[in-house]
Amino acid sequence: MVMEYLIKRAAAGADKGPEDRPDWVSDRNASAAAWQCVQDMKREKALYIRRHRTPTDFLVKKNYLIKGSEVAAAIGMNRATLMNTSSYSPHFRQYLDATNADLEEAKNAKLKRVEHPTATGTRKSRKDDLVNLVKELRMENEKLRALAAEPLGEIYEGLPLPIKKKLGIW
């Protein structure tokens, strides 16, 4: 039963591969390898975007964007040939730009979502928010102590001396 399911999924994946390729991709030249390499890199970069959440994680663009030189090095081809001189170069460049735009949009959406967390708690809060909260709570605590100190002082003054000595107040 499980084996049948896996066989069906493998067959569906094998049939689906060439159909969803763009028109400019051909097995006669390096365009198929370049397109497949971009697909693989896109999955890796999307995974990086999902796993990282702070703006400092995205300071280096090579972590979340795909460069033409990366693709050329991965398939063992000259960058200039891949990006400029081949018959499929304009289409590939356009595809790479669209892919990078999608990755950039995913990064911005992730940072926007993290900037304003929906869940509460200290783990999802930003440091500035926590610092302000602690300051407010300390001020409130001081006010409550001042309010409580006056009645306690009157109570301590009204206690007889032997009780003060036993409590260690005197």
Side-chain angles (χ1 to χ4, degrees):
M1 187 154 101
V2 173
M3 199 62 170
E4 293 172 12
Y5 171 74
L6 292 175
I7 291 171
K8 286 180 184 178
R9 284 219 35 203
D15 293 341
K16 195 168 108 177
E19 293 176 5
D20 58 355
R21 297 196 310 188
D23 295 338
W24 55 269
V25 176
S26 173
D27 290 327
R28 290 178 289 166
N29 52 29
S31 62
W35 179 79
Q36 187 61 45
C37 183
V38 170
Q39 290 292 327
D40 296 339
M41 286 183 175
K42 183 178 179 182
R43 274 188 236 106
E44 290 175 19
K45 306 294 182 174
L47 185 63
Y48 180 87
I49 291 170
R50 274 185 300 203
R51 288 186 177 169
H52 292 83
R53 50 181 295 137
T54 61
T56 56
D57 291 332
F58 299 105
L59 289 177
V60 180
K61 288 187 177 186
K62 73 175 184 178
N63 291 334
Y64 65 94
L65 293 179
I66 303 169
K67 291 173 56 176
S69 58
E70 279 183 287
V71 177
I75 62 173
M77 189 175 185
N78 187 357
R79 187 201 62 80
T81 305
L82 177 67
M83 299 298 291
N84 298 326
T85 60
S86 298
S87 61
Y88 56 85
S89 292
H91 301 291
F92 178 73
R93 208 173 324 109
Q94 185 179 17
Y95 174 71
L96 189 60
D97 291 342
T99 302
N100 281 334
D102 291 343
L103 291 171
E104 184 76 31
E105 185 178 318
K107 176 204 76 150
N108 291 336
K110 173 74 174 202
L111 289 178
K112 189 173 185 179
R113 194 169 51 246
V114 170
E115 184 178 321
H116 302 290
T118 56
T120 59
T122 58
R123 189 159 176 94
K124 294 271 183 172
S125 299
R126 295 177 51 187
K127 183 177 178 180
D128 300 337
D129 299 336
L130 292 175
V131 168
N132 291 335
L133 178 65
V134 168
K135 284 181 183 177
E136 290 174 11
L137 290 175
R138 283 185 180 164
M139 288 174 33
E140 186 178 334
N141 190 15
E142 290 299 321
K143 288 179 186 176
L144 291 175
R145 283 183 186 220
L147 286 175
E150 292 176 15
L152 284 177
E154 293 174 10
I155 293 172
Y156 287 149
E157 288 177 13
L159 289 176
L161 188 58
I163 294 177
K164 286 183 182 179
K165 286 184 178 179
K166 286 185 180 180
L167 290 175
I169 301 172
W170 187 257

